[in-house]
Amino acid sequence: MASVLVASNRGPVSYARGEDGELDARRGGGGLVSGLSAVSSQDSLWVCAALGEGDREAVRRGIGEPGVRMLDIDPEVYADAYNGIANSVLWFLHHHLYDTPREPVFDAEFRRRWESYRAYNRAFAEALAAEADDGAAVLVQDYHLALVPGMLRELRPDLRISHFTHTPWVSSEYLRMVPDDIVEELLWGMLGADELGFHTWGWASLFITCCSQREDSTGTAQGVWPSGDPWHGVTWRRHGGPKGRTRVRAYPLGVDGDELRSLAHRPAVDEALARLRAEVGERRTIVRVDRTELSKNILRGLLAYRELLTVHPEWRDRVVHLASAYPSRQDLESYRAYTASVTDLAAEINAEFGTADWQPVIVSVEDDFTRSLAAYRLADVALVNPVRDGMNLVAKEIPVVSDAGCALVLSTGAGAYKELRDDVLAVNPFDVSETAEALHTALTMPLSERADRTKRLAATATALPPQRWFLNQLDALREEDRESRKG
């Protein structure tokens, strides 16, 4: 039994079959992995899904890492829940990215997939209920598991439950596209938590608004906004029962500066940096590092770079755009088409402006963290222009490891924008011309100003590293427990 439990779709370890037939364990990274390391492994458990055949084989053989429990969910149920609902419905809602003349379509097939999403969440709730010690703290992660808090509350009312959403939260107007009963199930699933966390207060306030504007057959929910009372969140009553409340907070995840700098100065990164310098020569660099998710706005970034070369021809043969665009979710057709569009547009720009000695855009489509760190260090300008992003850690990582300082061109749609706004060149993510001019301003920025901005950006970016981010949420959950016992 565990006193602290984390639940997420992807866990801290994965398994792959080696050439000898044995299963090799591969440790993952990221903020959540780093954050949980602050808690004793003897007291904690991470519940996650088996994502591939290697993981499922490990579960069947009884192979596992201490402190990790993988759930072998039926592959068809998992595919419907993960790709059919989480990534094709909830992700598109939260990022406001539906092509509304064509999508969404809520039909019988959607309902069938929603049943799978419900079953997937139920499997997590039951596993957490079985593994949690009396009064344990359970920290549920992201939109894949939005129904878990409500399900777990019914199974184990003694637990202290939180849920953190790593994406933006959908606006109430956009949410109206979704059938009412599905919206009710989604919101009531979230309100099963004692604490709800978001990267910014902007996303948190949208959730409160969604609850405040709805009254349904199962109960009422009303947002409470911070005023004289420091408590803010949602008060609710369901099925005629007693009133409850769910606190809503913002936890803006930062980066571990010491760890990131250490990783960025390994010999392998030095070698990758030397190769990039050989490709770039003495030219300036505009760097972006993204997965080809539709929210990252890579195409408009490339269009802005093309406009820069058109409107400011003095930059021709004097700048190179290093664009790392790692393929993401290639089992979905819309993502495959988007990835192809990125590489096609880069090729068009190179054909239009390139010379025998100068390739204007160098695109990498390999998931290569070593190369990304090298590009971070080389960046004169960092371009981070998402349409809508929960946080966007790239905007925080590049200033931390940049060798000579970089100018950050940042979209107002990034969750990180409000934290970093004083030292960035802000752009409307849809305004290609404004972005092109911001790139020009960034390229002409005096080195002293660039260095000063970078220093301040790095300080802000490292203010709430992953371990502190995680422990703050855990402490808040335990504080809620103490307050409820006093009451």
Side-chain angles (χ1 to χ4, degrees):
M1 306 292 280
S3 61
V4 177
L5 300 93
V6 168
S8 64
N9 174 70
R10 182 179 298 276
V13 64
S14 61
Y15 295 89
R17 191 187 301 276
E19 294 181 1
D20 58 0
E22 294 300 312
L23 292 174
D24 298 325
R26 301 174 182 176
R27 300 293 299 182
L32 195 58
V33 173
S34 179
L36 189 60
S37 68
V39 180
S40 168
S41 60
Q42 294 181 341
D43 301 325
S44 63
L45 178 69
W46 194 319
V47 178
C48 57
L51 300 185
E53 270 310 306
D55 290 353
R56 296 189 182 96
E57 181 64 22
V59 174
R60 289 191 286 268
R61 292 191 196 180
I63 298 173
E65 297 285 308
V68 179
R69 179 179 170 185
M70 275 190 178
L71 306 181
D72 186 8
I73 297 168
D74 178 271
E76 291 186 4
V77 171
Y78 178 81
D80 282 342
Y82 181 72
N83 282 328
I85 297 297
N87 289 340
S88 294
V89 177
L90 298 180
W91 190 91
F92 275 81
L93 281 170
H94 290 322
H95 289 86
H96 289 191
L97 281 178
Y98 270 123
D99 179 10
T100 51
R102 297 177 176 84
E103 295 177 311
V105 175
F106 298 113
D107 55 7
E109 178 62 14
F110 161 77
R111 296 281 176 175
R112 185 190 67 76
R113 290 174 176 169
W114 186 261
E115 287 289 341
S116 293
Y117 180 76
R118 187 182 293 131
Y120 168 75
N121 276 252
R122 173 67 64 179
F124 271 85
E126 291 175 349
L128 292 165
E131 299 283 0
D133 205 349
D134 292 342
V138 182
L139 296 94
V140 183
Q141 306 298 309
D142 230 355
Y143 60 98
H144 313 90
L145 301 176
L147 306 184
V148 166
M151 293 175 171
L152 186 56
R153 176 68 62 209
E154 293 180 357
L155 295 171
R156 291 286 304 274
D158 62 299
L159 301 179
R160 307 306 296 175
I161 305 167
S162 73
H163 184 283
F164 192 91
T165 299
H166 293 264
T167 62
W169 185 263
V170 62
S171 69
S172 57
E173 293 80 9
Y174 210 78
L175 189 60
R176 290 195 183 103
M177 290 189 290
V178 182
D180 282 348
D181 61 313
I182 300 298
V183 174
E184 290 171 17
E185 188 172 358
L186 178 65
L187 294 180
W188 283 113
M190 297 277 286
L191 291 173
D194 300 287
E195 295 260 345
L196 293 177
F198 298 85
H199 280 304
T200 73
W201 175 244
W203 307 139
S205 64
L206 286 177
F207 176 84
I208 294 176
T209 299
C210 285
C211 293
S212 300
Q213 294 184 355
R214 297 191 64 84
E215 289 191 15
D216 57 64
S217 60
T218 60
T220 60
Q222 179 61 49
V224 179
W225 300 88
S227 54
D229 182 354
W231 189 90
H232 50 274
V234 180
T235 60
W236 46 265
R237 184 195 299 271
R238 195 172 189 192
H239 297 303
K243 285 186 178 180
R245 70 179 195 173
T246 297
R247 185 188 289 272
V248 179
R249 300 182 193 247
Y251 297 93
L253 175 64
V255 300
D256 185 328
D258 291 339
E259 179 184 22
L260 189 61
R261 292 185 190 101
S262 176
L263 289 171
H265 287 85
R266 292 171 300 160
V269 178
D270 291 337
E271 293 170 6
L273 179 59
R275 290 192 295 270
L276 286 178
R277 287 190 189 280
E279 288 187 87
V280 171
E282 298 299 319
R283 301 176 181 90
R284 299 286 187 87
T285 57
I286 298 172
V287 169
R288 76 173 306 136
V289 176
D290 290 300
R291 295 194 176 277
T292 51
E293 295 176 357
L294 307 185
S295 63
K296 300 302 184 183
N297 209 22
I298 301 172
L299 288 175
R300 290 190 186 90
L302 287 169
L303 291 173
Y305 179 64
R306 182 166 68 183
E307 186 159 323
L308 169 74
L309 298 179
T310 301
V311 177
H312 296 282
E314 65 269 24
W315 287 114
R316 296 178 191 179
D317 201 23
R318 292 180 57 210
V319 65
V320 173
H321 187 12
L322 295 174
S324 294
Y326 305 146
S328 175
R329 299 173 185 168
Q330 294 300 291
D331 43 0
L332 297 177
E333 194 281 330
S334 58
Y335 283 80
R336 293 194 299 272
Y338 188 77
T339 302
S341 296
V342 167
T343 55
D344 289 347
L345 180 54
E348 290 177 16
I349 295 171
N350 285 333
E352 182 177 357
F353 296 101
T355 66
D357 300 320
W358 173 52
Q359 183 175 327
V361 184
I362 299 176
V363 175
S364 170
V365 295
E366 299 296 325
D367 194 343
D368 187 344
F369 187 53
T370 297
R371 185 184 187 279
S372 295
L373 288 173
Y376 284 3
R377 289 177 56 185
L378 186 61
D380 294 302
V381 177
L383 174 59
V384 183
N385 66 321
V387 171
R388 190 175 170 90
D389 229 339
M391 173 51 66
N392 196 301
L393 287 181
V394 171
K396 295 185 172 184
E397 290 170 348
I398 295 182
V400 171
V401 301
S402 171
D403 282 352
C406 69
L408 176 59
V409 176
L410 181 64
S411 159
T412 57
Y417 168 69
K418 285 195 174 179
E419 288 180 85
L420 306 179
R421 62 189 301 172
D422 291 342
D423 292 296
V424 305
L425 299 173
V427 295
N428 174 341
F430 301 98
D431 192 335
V432 168
S433 294
E434 180 186 44
T435 304
E437 286 305 310
L439 292 175
H440 174 67
T441 301
L443 288 167
T444 55
M445 184 180 292
L447 292 179
S448 59
E449 180 184 351
R450 201 171 79 183
D452 289 344
R453 286 181 183 236
T454 302
K455 184 177 180 179
R456 292 191 295 267
L457 287 169
T460 303
T462 55
L464 195 62
Q467 288 194 3
R468 187 69 261 161
W469 171 83
F470 182 85
L471 288 175
N472 283 356
Q473 294 174 71
L474 183 59
D475 290 345
L477 198 55
R478 287 169 171 166
E479 181 62 31
E480 276 284 298
D481 189 23
R482 287 191 288 271
E483 290 180 5
S484 66
R485 292 181 189 216
K486 287 179 184 177

